[in-house]
Amino acid sequence: MADESILIIGANSGIAGSLIENFLDKKTVGKILAVSRSMPKNQSFHKNENIEWLLSDYTEHSIDQIVSTLKTREFIIDKVIICNGALHSSLFSPEKRVEDIELQNLDAVMKINAFIPMLWVKNLKPLIRKSDRCSITVFSARIGSIQDNGKGGWYAYRASKAALNMLMKTASIEFRRESAEISFLLFHPGTTDTYLSQPFQKRMADSAIFQTDFVAKQLIIILDNLVYDGEIKFADWKGETIAW
Ligand SMILES: NC(=O)c1ccc[n+]([C@@H]2O[C@H](COP(=O)([O-])OP(=O)(O)OC[C@H]3O[C@@H](n4cnc5c(N)ncnc54)[C@H](OP(=O)(O)O)[C@@H]3O)[C@@H](O)[C@H]2O)c1
């Protein structure tokens, strides 16, 4: 039965676009709620009656407004997927050396990669606790693994994903203590051909860069097989665990 509801935040991400396309093909999925700063890049999403596209500037006020609307509608969410993440923009790029560090860039990257996902989890908590089929997936990155950091560099991005991991691990412990059986997944997609990775693809073999459709399909398989066991997972596109 097509009764599964999916909430995708950061829905204009390259990977989110492919996730939406794949969820639309899935017989179990009824409704897709998509949240983004701007209207969908994929024109076909505009007309699809199974997608509701909501705009947010990701301030706490805007997040709270969206969540309040969903509460009023008694909307139950089965899967939350938070895709937000930035490595570079017109204003910042990843630091190679300590000397490249600038406070405003650290602030910006931390906010997008760690704090905005946390604000969503905070505000969604009353809504998703009612559903024991629920999972929360947040896009992390292997580079956020402290143990795996052999190369250095990319200070803000690394630190923000490590902070994101700690924030989500802490939330998952709280949810477990409150008997909310919600699976948490911190997902590493692998290097994927999107705006985020484009400046860094030059020295990589084409075969080492995934297409968004492949990554979306991998994540959906992982989510379909996710069984609640009270432990947050930090895993890659193969479903293999990544060291914290
Ligand atoms: N591509 C890779 O190789 C790779 C590797 C490891 C991890 N990841 C992670 O995968 C996730 C999806 O990335 P992607 O590759 O699909 O990248 P992308 O196409 O560049 O998408 C960027 C995402 O970040 C959000 N975003 C960008 N700037 C923002 C801002 N100023 N404030 C709030 N949100 C902002 C966008 O939200 P809107 O919908 O509002 O625009 C969108 O969801 C990210 O968390 C990324 O860190 C990607």
Side-chain angles (χ1 to χ4, degrees), residues 169-208:
K169 168 122 192 178
T170 307
S172 73
I173 291 168
E174 180 179 323
F175 279 47
R176 183 179 62 201
R177 196 183 302 127
E178 296 176 4
S179 303
E181 297 192 348
I182 293 165
S183 300
F184 274 77
L185 170 66
L186 288 156
F187 180 66
H188 167 63
T191 302
T192 307
D193 185 17
T194 63
Y195 169 79
L196 182 138
S197 70
Q198 260 151 21
F200 313 98
Q201 292 180 11
K202 285 170 215 132
R203 272 183 251 143
M204 294 183 75
D206 285 351
S207 57

Short mmCIF file of all heavy atoms in Angstrom, two decimals, residues 169-208:
data_model
loop_
_atom_site.label_atom_id
_atom_site.label_comp_id
_atom_site.label_asym_id
_atom_site.label_seq_id
_atom_site.Cartn_x
_atom_site.Cartn_y
_atom_site.Cartn_z
N LYS A 169 24.35 11.57 17.34
CA LYS A 169 24.54 10.45 18.28
C LYS A 169 23.86 10.81 19.61
O LYS A 169 23.17 9.98 20.23
CB LYS A 169 26.04 10.18 18.48
CG LYS A 169 26.34 9.25 19.64
CD LYS A 169 27.10 8.03 19.26
CE LYS A 169 27.08 7.07 20.43
NZ LYS A 169 27.73 5.83 20.24
N THR A 170 24.05 12.04 20.03
CA THR A 170 23.46 12.48 21.31
C THR A 170 21.93 12.46 21.23
O THR A 170 21.26 11.99 22.16
CB THR A 170 23.99 13.88 21.66
OG1 THR A 170 25.42 13.84 21.61
CG2 THR A 170 23.56 14.33 23.04
N ALA A 171 21.39 12.93 20.11
CA ALA A 171 19.92 12.90 19.94
C ALA A 171 19.40 11.47 19.95
O ALA A 171 18.36 11.17 20.54
CB ALA A 171 19.54 13.61 18.64
N SER A 172 20.14 10.57 19.30
CA SER A 172 19.66 9.18 19.21
C SER A 172 19.61 8.54 20.60
O SER A 172 18.72 7.75 20.90
CB SER A 172 20.55 8.36 18.27
OG SER A 172 21.80 8.09 18.86
N ILE A 173 20.55 8.91 21.47
CA ILE A 173 20.55 8.38 22.84
C ILE A 173 19.32 8.90 23.59
O ILE A 173 18.64 8.16 24.29
CB ILE A 173 21.86 8.77 23.56
CG1 ILE A 173 23.04 8.01 22.93
CG2 ILE A 173 21.78 8.49 25.08
CD1 ILE A 173 24.42 8.50 23.35
N GLU A 174 19.03 10.19 23.40
CA GLU A 174 17.86 10.78 24.07
C GLU A 174 16.57 10.12 23.58
O GLU A 174 15.70 9.77 24.38
CB GLU A 174 17.84 12.28 23.78
CG GLU A 174 16.66 13.00 24.41
CD GLU A 174 16.70 14.49 24.10
OE1 GLU A 174 17.80 15.08 24.07
OE2 GLU A 174 15.62 15.06 23.89
N PHE A 175 16.45 9.93 22.28
CA PHE A 175 15.24 9.31 21.72
C PHE A 175 15.09 7.89 22.27
O PHE A 175 14.00 7.46 22.61
CB PHE A 175 15.30 9.27 20.19
CG PHE A 175 14.92 10.57 19.52
CD1 PHE A 175 15.41 11.79 19.95
CD2 PHE A 175 14.06 10.57 18.43
CE1 PHE A 175 15.07 12.98 19.33
CE2 PHE A 175 13.70 11.76 17.79
CZ PHE A 175 14.20 12.96 18.23
N ARG A 176 16.21 7.16 22.36
CA ARG A 176 16.15 5.77 22.87
C ARG A 176 15.69 5.76 24.32
O ARG A 176 14.85 4.96 24.71
CB ARG A 176 17.55 5.14 22.75
CG ARG A 176 17.60 3.67 23.18
CD ARG A 176 18.99 3.11 23.02
NE ARG A 176 19.95 3.81 23.85
CZ ARG A 176 21.27 3.82 23.65
NH1 ARG A 176 21.80 3.19 22.61
NH2 ARG A 176 22.08 4.46 24.45
N ARG A 177 16.25 6.70 25.11
CA ARG A 177 15.88 6.78 26.53
C ARG A 177 14.39 7.04 26.68
O ARG A 177 13.76 6.58 27.62
CB ARG A 177 16.69 7.91 27.19
CG ARG A 177 16.68 7.85 28.70
CD ARG A 177 17.42 9.02 29.33
NE ARG A 177 18.80 9.14 28.91
CZ ARG A 177 19.35 10.25 28.41
NH1 ARG A 177 18.65 11.34 28.27
NH2 ARG A 177 20.62 10.28 28.06
N GLU A 178 13.83 7.78 25.72
CA GLU A 178 12.40 8.10 25.78
C GLU A 178 11.55 7.08 25.04
O GLU A 178 10.39 7.33 24.73
CB GLU A 178 12.19 9.51 25.22
CG GLU A 178 12.89 10.55 26.09
CD GLU A 178 12.79 11.97 25.52
OE1 GLU A 178 12.12 12.17 24.50
OE2 GLU A 178 13.39 12.86 26.14
N SER A 179 12.16 5.94 24.75
CA SER A 179 11.47 4.82 24.07
C SER A 179 10.88 5.20 22.72
O SER A 179 9.86 4.66 22.30
CB SER A 179 10.36 4.24 24.95
OG SER A 179 10.89 3.82 26.16
N ALA A 180 11.49 6.16 22.05
CA ALA A 180 11.06 6.48 20.68
C ALA A 180 11.92 5.62 19.75
O ALA A 180 13.11 5.86 19.60
CB ALA A 180 11.29 7.95 20.39
N GLU A 181 11.31 4.62 19.16
CA GLU A 181 12.09 3.63 18.39
C GLU A 181 12.33 4.14 16.97
O GLU A 181 11.77 3.64 16.00
CB GLU A 181 11.37 2.30 18.41
CG GLU A 181 11.27 1.75 19.83
CD GLU A 181 10.84 0.31 19.86
OE1 GLU A 181 10.39 -0.21 18.83
OE2 GLU A 181 10.96 -0.28 20.94
N ILE A 182 13.19 5.14 16.88
CA ILE A 182 13.49 5.75 15.59
C ILE A 182 14.94 5.45 15.23
O ILE A 182 15.85 5.71 16.01
CB ILE A 182 13.26 7.27 15.68
CG1 ILE A 182 11.76 7.55 15.87
CG2 ILE A 182 13.79 7.97 14.45
CD1 ILE A 182 11.46 8.94 16.32
N SER A 183 15.14 4.86 14.06
CA SER A 183 16.51 4.56 13.63
C SER A 183 17.19 5.84 13.15
O SER A 183 16.59 6.62 12.40
CB SER A 183 16.49 3.55 12.47
OG SER A 183 15.87 2.37 12.87
N PHE A 184 18.42 6.03 13.55
CA PHE A 184 19.23 7.15 13.08
C PHE A 184 20.33 6.62 12.16
O PHE A 184 21.02 5.67 12.53
CB PHE A 184 19.91 7.88 14.25
CG PHE A 184 19.06 8.93 14.91
CD1 PHE A 184 18.05 8.58 15.79
CD2 PHE A 184 19.29 10.28 14.68
CE1 PHE A 184 17.28 9.55 16.42
CE2 PHE A 184 18.53 11.27 15.30
CZ PHE A 184 17.52 10.90 16.17
N LEU A 185 20.48 7.26 11.00
CA LEU A 185 21.56 6.88 10.07
C LEU A 185 22.32 8.14 9.66
O LEU A 185 21.72 9.12 9.17
CB LEU A 185 20.95 6.21 8.82
CG LEU A 185 21.90 5.96 7.65
CD1 LEU A 185 22.99 4.94 8.01
CD2 LEU A 185 21.13 5.49 6.41
N LEU A 186 23.63 8.11 9.84
CA LEU A 186 24.51 9.15 9.30
C LEU A 186 25.12 8.55 8.04
O LEU A 186 25.86 7.57 8.11
CB LEU A 186 25.59 9.52 10.32
CG LEU A 186 25.07 10.31 11.52
CD1 LEU A 186 25.98 10.14 12.73
CD2 LEU A 186 24.90 11.79 11.16
N PHE A 187 24.76 9.12 6.89
CA PHE A 187 25.05 8.46 5.62
C PHE A 187 26.17 9.15 4.86
O PHE A 187 26.14 10.37 4.64
CB PHE A 187 23.77 8.45 4.77
CG PHE A 187 23.92 7.81 3.43
CD1 PHE A 187 24.19 6.44 3.32
CD2 PHE A 187 23.80 8.55 2.26
CE1 PHE A 187 24.32 5.83 2.08
CE2 PHE A 187 23.93 7.96 1.02
CZ PHE A 187 24.19 6.59 0.93
N HIS A 188 27.15 8.36 4.43
CA HIS A 188 28.22 8.87 3.55
C HIS A 188 27.96 8.35 2.13
O HIS A 188 28.05 7.14 1.89
CB HIS A 188 29.59 8.37 4.04
CG HIS A 188 30.68 8.60 3.03
ND1 HIS A 188 31.06 9.86 2.63
CD2 HIS A 188 31.46 7.73 2.33
CE1 HIS A 188 32.02 9.76 1.72
NE2 HIS A 188 32.27 8.49 1.52
N PRO A 189 27.66 9.26 1.19
CA PRO A 189 27.30 8.79 -0.15
C PRO A 189 28.49 8.36 -1.00
O PRO A 189 28.30 7.73 -2.03
CB PRO A 189 26.63 10.03 -0.77
CG PRO A 189 27.22 11.20 -0.05
CD PRO A 189 27.55 10.73 1.34
N GLY A 190 29.71 8.70 -0.59
CA GLY A 190 30.86 8.53 -1.48
C GLY A 190 30.91 9.73 -2.41
O GLY A 190 29.95 10.50 -2.50
N THR A 191 32.04 9.90 -3.10
CA THR A 191 32.15 11.07 -3.97
C THR A 191 31.12 10.94 -5.09
O THR A 191 31.11 9.98 -5.85
CB THR A 191 33.57 11.20 -4.56
OG1 THR A 191 34.48 11.28 -3.47
CG2 THR A 191 33.70 12.45 -5.42
N THR A 192 30.26 11.93 -5.16
CA THR A 192 29.11 11.88 -6.08
C THR A 192 29.11 13.14 -6.92
O THR A 192 29.45 14.23 -6.43
CB THR A 192 27.81 11.76 -5.24
OG1 THR A 192 27.94 10.67 -4.34
CG2 THR A 192 26.59 11.55 -6.12
N ASP A 193 28.71 12.98 -8.17
CA ASP A 193 28.77 14.09 -9.11
C ASP A 193 27.66 15.12 -8.85
O ASP A 193 26.56 15.00 -9.39
CB ASP A 193 28.66 13.52 -10.54
CG ASP A 193 28.82 14.61 -11.58
OD1 ASP A 193 29.33 15.70 -11.24
OD2 ASP A 193 28.42 14.38 -12.74
N THR A 194 27.97 16.08 -8.02
CA THR A 194 27.02 17.17 -7.70
C THR A 194 27.80 18.48 -7.64
O THR A 194 29.04 18.48 -7.71
CB THR A 194 26.35 16.96 -6.32
OG1 THR A 194 27.37 17.02 -5.33
CG2 THR A 194 25.60 15.65 -6.24
N TYR A 195 27.09 19.57 -7.43
CA TYR A 195 27.73 20.89 -7.26
C TYR A 195 28.81 20.82 -6.18
O TYR A 195 29.89 21.38 -6.33
CB TYR A 195 26.65 21.91 -6.89
CG TYR A 195 27.21 23.25 -6.44
CD1 TYR A 195 27.66 24.18 -7.37
CD2 TYR A 195 27.31 23.56 -5.08
CE1 TYR A 195 28.19 25.39 -6.95
CE2 TYR A 195 27.85 24.76 -4.65
CZ TYR A 195 28.29 25.67 -5.59
OH TYR A 195 28.83 26.87 -5.17
N LEU A 196 28.51 20.09 -5.10
CA LEU A 196 29.42 20.05 -3.95
C LEU A 196 30.80 19.51 -4.32
O LEU A 196 31.83 20.02 -3.87
CB LEU A 196 28.79 19.21 -2.83
CG LEU A 196 29.58 19.09 -1.52
CD1 LEU A 196 28.66 19.21 -0.31
CD2 LEU A 196 30.37 17.80 -1.46
N SER A 197 30.84 18.48 -5.15
CA SER A 197 32.13 17.81 -5.42
C SER A 197 32.79 18.31 -6.70
O SER A 197 33.95 17.99 -6.97
CB SER A 197 31.92 16.29 -5.51
OG SER A 197 31.22 15.98 -6.69
N GLN A 198 32.05 19.08 -7.52
CA GLN A 198 32.56 19.41 -8.86
C GLN A 198 33.98 19.99 -8.90
O GLN A 198 34.80 19.52 -9.67
CB GLN A 198 31.58 20.30 -9.62
CG GLN A 198 30.75 19.48 -10.59
CD GLN A 198 29.38 20.05 -10.85
OE1 GLN A 198 29.16 21.25 -10.62
NE2 GLN A 198 28.46 19.22 -11.30
N PRO A 199 34.34 20.96 -8.05
CA PRO A 199 35.70 21.52 -8.15
C PRO A 199 36.80 20.52 -7.78
O PRO A 199 37.98 20.79 -8.03
CB PRO A 199 35.68 22.67 -7.13
CG PRO A 199 34.26 22.89 -6.77
CD PRO A 199 33.53 21.62 -7.02
N PHE A 200 36.42 19.39 -7.17
CA PHE A 200 37.44 18.47 -6.63
C PHE A 200 37.50 17.16 -7.41
O PHE A 200 38.15 16.21 -7.00
CB PHE A 200 37.15 18.21 -5.14
CG PHE A 200 36.88 19.49 -4.40
CD1 PHE A 200 35.59 19.91 -4.14
CD2 PHE A 200 37.94 20.32 -4.02
CE1 PHE A 200 35.34 21.12 -3.51
CE2 PHE A 200 37.69 21.53 -3.40
CZ PHE A 200 36.39 21.93 -3.13
N GLN A 201 36.82 17.13 -8.57
CA GLN A 201 36.74 15.88 -9.33
C GLN A 201 37.90 15.71 -10.30
O GLN A 201 38.13 14.61 -10.81
CB GLN A 201 35.43 15.83 -10.12
CG GLN A 201 34.19 15.71 -9.26
CD GLN A 201 32.93 15.67 -10.10
OE1 GLN A 201 32.98 15.54 -11.32
NE2 GLN A 201 31.78 15.81 -9.45
N LYS A 202 38.66 16.82 -10.54
CA LYS A 202 39.63 16.81 -11.64
C LYS A 202 40.65 15.69 -11.56
O LYS A 202 40.97 15.06 -12.57
CB LYS A 202 40.37 18.16 -11.69
CG LYS A 202 39.52 19.27 -12.25
CD LYS A 202 40.18 20.64 -12.07
CE LYS A 202 39.10 21.68 -11.82
NZ LYS A 202 39.35 22.56 -10.70
N ARG A 203 41.13 15.43 -10.35
CA ARG A 203 42.19 14.42 -10.23
C ARG A 203 41.63 13.02 -9.95
O ARG A 203 42.36 12.12 -9.60
CB ARG A 203 43.17 14.83 -9.13
CG ARG A 203 44.27 15.72 -9.71
CD ARG A 203 45.30 16.08 -8.68
NE ARG A 203 45.18 17.48 -8.30
CZ ARG A 203 45.37 17.95 -7.08
NH1 ARG A 203 45.68 17.17 -6.11
NH2 ARG A 203 45.27 19.23 -6.84
N MET A 204 40.34 12.87 -10.10
CA MET A 204 39.73 11.55 -9.80
C MET A 204 39.35 10.85 -11.10
O MET A 204 38.94 11.49 -12.07
CB MET A 204 38.48 11.73 -8.95
CG MET A 204 38.78 12.28 -7.57
SD MET A 204 37.28 12.38 -6.59
CE MET A 204 36.99 10.68 -6.18
N ALA A 205 39.47 9.52 -11.08
CA ALA A 205 39.02 8.74 -12.24
C ALA A 205 37.50 8.81 -12.28
O ALA A 205 36.84 8.84 -11.22
CB ALA A 205 39.47 7.29 -12.07
N ASP A 206 36.93 8.84 -13.51
CA ASP A 206 35.47 8.89 -13.64
C ASP A 206 34.80 7.76 -12.87
O ASP A 206 33.73 7.95 -12.28
CB ASP A 206 35.06 8.78 -15.12
CG ASP A 206 35.33 10.09 -15.84
OD1 ASP A 206 35.67 11.08 -15.16
OD2 ASP A 206 35.22 10.10 -17.09
N SER A 207 35.47 6.59 -12.87
CA SER A 207 34.86 5.42 -12.23
C SER A 207 34.77 5.59 -10.70
O SER A 207 34.05 4.85 -10.04
CB SER A 207 35.66 4.16 -12.55
OG SER A 207 37.00 4.35 -12.15
N ALA A 208 35.55 6.55 -10.16
CA ALA A 208 35.53 6.76 -8.70
C ALA A 208 34.45 7.76 -8.28
O ALA A 208 34.28 8.03 -7.09
CB ALA A 208 36.89 7.24 -8.23
#
